[in-house]
């Protein structure tokens, strides 16, 4: 029997239907569309220093996000195949049933993601590949650099030039549904944490990130932070906070998994500036989104150097690899109570403020002089908002092997005095310990 011809959209870190270039494009074609998402086994296994790539907090967020995506796709008459094997195996299986004419997906460039694409090509050699950059604020075709080697070493130079010479493209609207006749019910279900080899957990009531995964909750958060509470008006003044849900936007987990598009956030900031208020605070959210872009361009320029011990500066420092030091740091049992409080927050919730991250990273790599990549790998396992470029880029920056022209070391006690002067943050996480 002849197989039914289809196009497949393979979702990766683009778990949304709004402003999704691959989705917009595939729905312009004439063939029925099937969606696919894989909980890739390699992402849930041990990989470096005995650490898993993904721990339960992020896995839980992804499960929620994929469930939301499945519902959203249904409203576009698209069925979602959810798989627990590698994408190449999943597509091979799908190709037993369907003739896959085209595969549409978000373009990635880090080596592991590229390897996955190569494996897929081997499995379905006759399929046409169409990939799109969907994760940027400034589209790579629009930035004022001929090639990525020209990306400056210093963020400010990048930001100023882009702000002067590059327009942020308007977000794409949610596309029209495909014909209901094209709906293919794939009848697949989501894995549990246990099935992914992870432990179930109760959410900690102190968490600064108590939210659910998915485009729906991401959009609700945006509406709350901008329109209902108008907290955006104070963003720059509060963003160094440590406690509670509202000191910063908390967009990062939704951005990291593509539940929110940076261009949509940008468009909403611009709308807010027109309708409510335009000030330093509203601008600063865009400023931070440019930082996010910058680390993506740094990894486009430097490739795998961002994972090497010398970083992109190829520095030859002496690093220790002390197991006891790692245990103390990761469990929040160092000599430093501010570092400890932050590390306990991360361990119990999968989230930590930007201020906290800078301090614990600097403490690990500059005070304790431990291999910075172990710290980065621990963050990779634990963070709900883990993003390869932001994580490894910020870790390099804070460890003296990246893009910080000043190569600063944080004085964690001074930082605690400044940002937690009444000790409330430390009391929240240290409870009845020595503090
Ligand atoms: C050592 C270290 C590791 C980090 N690892 C990650 C990571 O894996 N994933 C991640 O998304 N961010 C990472 N960050 C950046 C930053 O800490 C988080 O993006 C931020 O704390 C998330 O909270 P928010 O969404 O409320 O941020 P907001 O202050 O509300 O900022 C808005 C958005 O701007 C972007 N942003 C803000 N600060 C940075 C920054 N320094 N670098 C890049 N983008 C930024 C984020 O997308 C964020 O959601 C790391 C920072 C450090 C110092």
């Amino acid at each position: 029997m002849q197989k039914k011809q289809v196009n497949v959209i393979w979702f990766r870190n683009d778990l949304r239907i709004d402003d999704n270039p691959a989705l917009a494009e595939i729905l312009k074609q004439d063939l029925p569309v099937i969606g696919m998402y894989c909980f890739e086994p390699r992402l849930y296994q041990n990989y470096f220093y005995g650490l898993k790539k993904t721990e339960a907090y992020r896995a839980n967020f992804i499960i929620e996000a994929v469930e939301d995506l499945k519902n959203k796709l249904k409203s576009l008459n698209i069925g979602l195949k959810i798989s627990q094997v590698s994408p190449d195996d999943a597509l091979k299986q799908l190709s037993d049933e369907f003739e896959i004419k085209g595969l549409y997906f978000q373009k990635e460039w880090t080596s592991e993601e590229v390897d996955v694409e190569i494996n897929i090509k081997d499995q379905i050699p006759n399929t046409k590949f169409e990939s799109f950059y969907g994760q940027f604020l400034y589209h790579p075709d629009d930035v004022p650099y001929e090639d990525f080697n020209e990306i400056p070493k210093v963020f400010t130079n990048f930001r100023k030039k882009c702000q002067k010479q590059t327009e942020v493209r308007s977000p794409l609207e949610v596309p029209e549904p495909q014909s209901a006749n094209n709906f293919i019910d794939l009848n697949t279900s989501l894995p549990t944490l246990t099935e992914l080899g992870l432990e179930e957990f109760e959410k900690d009531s102190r968490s600064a990130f108590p939210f659910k995964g998915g485009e729906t909750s991401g959009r609700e958060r945006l509406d709350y932070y901008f329109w209902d509470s108008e907290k955006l008006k104070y963003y720059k003044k509060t963003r160094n906070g440590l406690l509670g849900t509202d000191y910063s936007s908390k967009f990062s987990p939704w951005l990291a998994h593509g539940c929110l598009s940076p261009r949509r956030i940008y468009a909403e900031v611009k709308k807010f500036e027109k309708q409510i208020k335009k000030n330093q605070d509203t601008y600063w959210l865009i400023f931070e989104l440019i930082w996010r872009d910058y680390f993506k361009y740094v990894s486009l320029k430097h490739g795998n150097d961002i994972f090497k011990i010398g970083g992109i500066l190829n520095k030859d420092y002496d690093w220790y690899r002390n197991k006891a030091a790692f245990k103390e740091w990761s469990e929040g049992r160092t000599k430093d109570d501010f570092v400890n409080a932050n590390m306990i927050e991360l361990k119990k919730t999968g989230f930590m403020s930007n201020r906290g991250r800078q301090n614990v990273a600097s403490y690990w790599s500059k005070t304790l002089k431990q291999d910075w990549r172990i710290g980065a790998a621990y963050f990779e396992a634990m963070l709900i908002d883990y993003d390869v470029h932001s994580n490894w880029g910020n870790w390099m920056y804070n460890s003296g092997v990246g893009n910080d022209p000043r190569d600063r070391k944080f004085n964690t006690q001074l930082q605690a005095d400044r940002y937690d002067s009444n000790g409330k943050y430390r009391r929240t996480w240290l409870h009845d310990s020595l503090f």
Side-chain angles (χ1 to χ4, degrees):
M1 202 178 77
Q2 224 186 353
K3 292 186 215 168
K4 191 179 177 85
Q5 293 189 336
V6 296
N7 282 329
V8 174
I9 175 162
W10 166 39
F11 289 92
R12 311 172 92 180
N13 287 328
D14 57 340
L15 304 176
R16 65 171 185 275
I17 61 169
D18 177 49
D19 191 29
N20 186 326
L23 182 66
E25 204 50 43
I26 199 171
L27 281 171
K28 286 184 194 153
Q29 316 302 315
D30 284 335
L31 290 177
V33 175
I34 292 177
M36 183 184 88
Y37 181 82
C38 295
F39 287 85
E40 297 180 51
R42 71 177 178 95
L43 295 177
Y44 299 91
Q45 287 159 359
N46 285 0
Y47 87 115
F48 179 64
Y49 213 67
L51 294 163
K52 277 195 192 298
K53 254 190 173 304
T54 311
E55 277 292 353
Y57 299 121
R58 183 162 74 256
N60 186 59
F61 185 93
I62 295 172
I63 292 170
E64 290 168 349
V66 173
E67 183 173 22
D68 189 57
L69 178 71
K70 186 177 175 182
N71 294 332
K72 296 240 171 219
L73 287 173
K74 204 161 184 192
S75 70
L76 300 179
N77 296 322
I78 299 174
L80 182 67
K81 162 104 184 151
I82 301 167
S83 166
Q84 283 185 62
V85 298
S86 61
D88 51 313
D89 285 344
L91 282 158
K92 177 82 187 131
Q93 286 166 14
L94 210 57
S95 72
D96 291 339
E97 221 180 313
F98 300 98
E99 185 182 342
I100 305 172
K101 297 298 283 181
L103 184 70
Y104 290 66
F105 54 95
Q106 177 163 288
K107 198 192 284 252
E108 302 285 348
W109 54 91
T110 31
S111 55
E112 290 174 5
E113 282 65 30
V114 172
D115 286 347
V116 174
E117 286 172 32
I118 294 169
N119 293 341
I120 295 176
K121 280 202 173 116
D122 286 345
Q123 295 284 14
I124 47 169
N126 300 322
T127 301
K128 192 171 76 157
F129 280 52
E130 298 280 358
S131 61
F132 305 82
Y133 288 121
Q135 59 275 71
F136 287 89
L137 185 65
Y138 293 120
H139 194 285
D141 291 346
D142 303 342
V143 289
Y145 303 100
E146 285 293 310
D147 88 53
F148 298 130
N149 279 326
E150 293 173 16
I151 299 297
K153 281 200 180 78
V154 177
F155 167 69
T156 310
N157 300 340
F158 171 81
R159 175 180 61 78
K160 286 191 172 155
K161 198 162 174 184
C162 288
Q163 283 179 319
K164 221 182 202 165
Q165 298 183 31
T166 312
E167 284 277 317
V168 174
R169 296 185 187 183
S170 299
L172 306 166
E173 296 305 325
V174 173
E176 288 298 314
Q178 68 173 343
S179 147
N181 298 335
N182 283 345
F183 179 72
I184 298 169
D185 192 353
L186 295 148
N187 197 19
T188 51
S189 57
L190 288 152
T192 61
L193 287 178
T194 317
E195 283 165 352
L196 294 174
L198 301 166
E199 280 183 29
E200 303 286 338
F201 65 92
E202 290 278 322
K203 278 196 180 162
D204 191 304
S205 60
R206 296 165 293 180
S207 176
F209 192 87
F211 309 107
K212 265 185 92 159
E215 183 172 5
T216 304
S217 56
R219 187 59 207 220
E220 280 166 11
R221 174 65 187 173
L222 190 152
D223 287 343
Y224 166 80
Y225 194 74
F226 286 15
W227 303 106
D228 304 340
S229 69
E230 298 186 2
K231 300 266 179 198
L232 179 60
K233 277 198 275 196
Y234 315 105
Y235 168 69
K236 186 162 185 261
K237 293 175 204 75
T238 59
R239 60 179 285 275
N240 279 309
L242 301 165
L243 274 173
T245 52
D246 288 354
Y247 60 81
S248 62
S249 74
K250 305 297 185 311
F251 290 160
S252 56
W254 289 293
L255 278 165
H257 305 291
C259 308
L260 276 178
S261 127
R263 298 192 303 207
R264 176 62 65 198
I265 298 174
Y266 180 88
E268 291 287 311
V269 173
K270 290 287 148 194
K271 201 156 107 189
F272 187 92
E273 288 179 338
K274 262 200 198 123
Q275 294 179 10
I276 313 280
K277 194 176 181 82
K278 177 176 172 154
N279 59 14
Q280 266 288 309
D281 299 76
T282 57
Y283 162 67
W284 215 259
L285 195 82
I286 295 171
F287 176 95
E288 295 298 340
L289 288 178
I290 303 174
W291 261 114
R292 176 179 173 276
D293 256 27
Y294 179 61
F295 284 124
K296 293 193 184 300
Y297 284 101
V298 166
S299 93
L300 271 167
K301 173 177 177 182
H302 293 281
N304 277 348
D305 285 354
I306 67 169
F307 305 117
K308 291 189 183 148
I309 192 147
I312 57 172
L313 299 181
N314 202 13
K315 288 272 186 190
D316 191 15
Y317 293 137
D318 285 332
W319 299 98
Y320 300 106
R321 276 180 158 213
N322 182 318
K323 283 226 148 95
F326 176 69
K327 207 164 161 36
E328 283 169 14
W329 177 74
S330 59
E331 291 178 357
R333 291 190 290 104
T334 70
K335 294 194 183 90
D336 189 303
D337 58 6
F338 189 52
V339 169
N340 293 347
N342 276 289
M343 293 306 291
I344 292 171
E345 180 186 6
L346 177 63
K347 194 176 169 63
K348 300 220 158 165
T349 69
F351 196 83
M352 189 196 291
S353 68
N354 185 54
R355 184 58 38 191
R357 294 182 203 200
Q358 290 173 312
N359 274 277
V360 303
S362 174
Y363 187 82
W364 175 252
S365 60
K366 289 194 166 159
T367 304
L368 301 179
K369 298 189 168 36
Q370 298 290 325
D371 183 341
W372 66 274
R373 296 170 310 162
I374 297 170
Y378 182 65
F379 268 38
E380 174 164 350
M382 298 301 290
L383 282 174
I384 303 176
D385 67 15
Y386 170 71
D387 166 273
V388 55
H389 321 287
S390 286
N391 189 57
W392 291 82
N394 271 292
W395 265 96
M396 283 194 300
Y397 188 96
N398 281 279
S399 307
V401 297
N403 303 85
D404 183 3
R406 289 173 288 176
D407 196 6
R408 282 159 294 179
K409 173 174 165 182
F410 280 76
N411 179 330
T412 48
Q413 280 314 306
L414 280 184
Q415 290 271 312
D417 291 346
R418 181 157 174 206
Y419 295 103
D420 187 33
S421 52
N422 60 11
K424 195 170 169 199
Y425 175 72
R426 278 165 290 173
R427 273 196 304 282
T428 300
W429 292 105
L430 298 176
H431 275 312
D432 51 359
S433 72
L434 290 178
F435 176 71

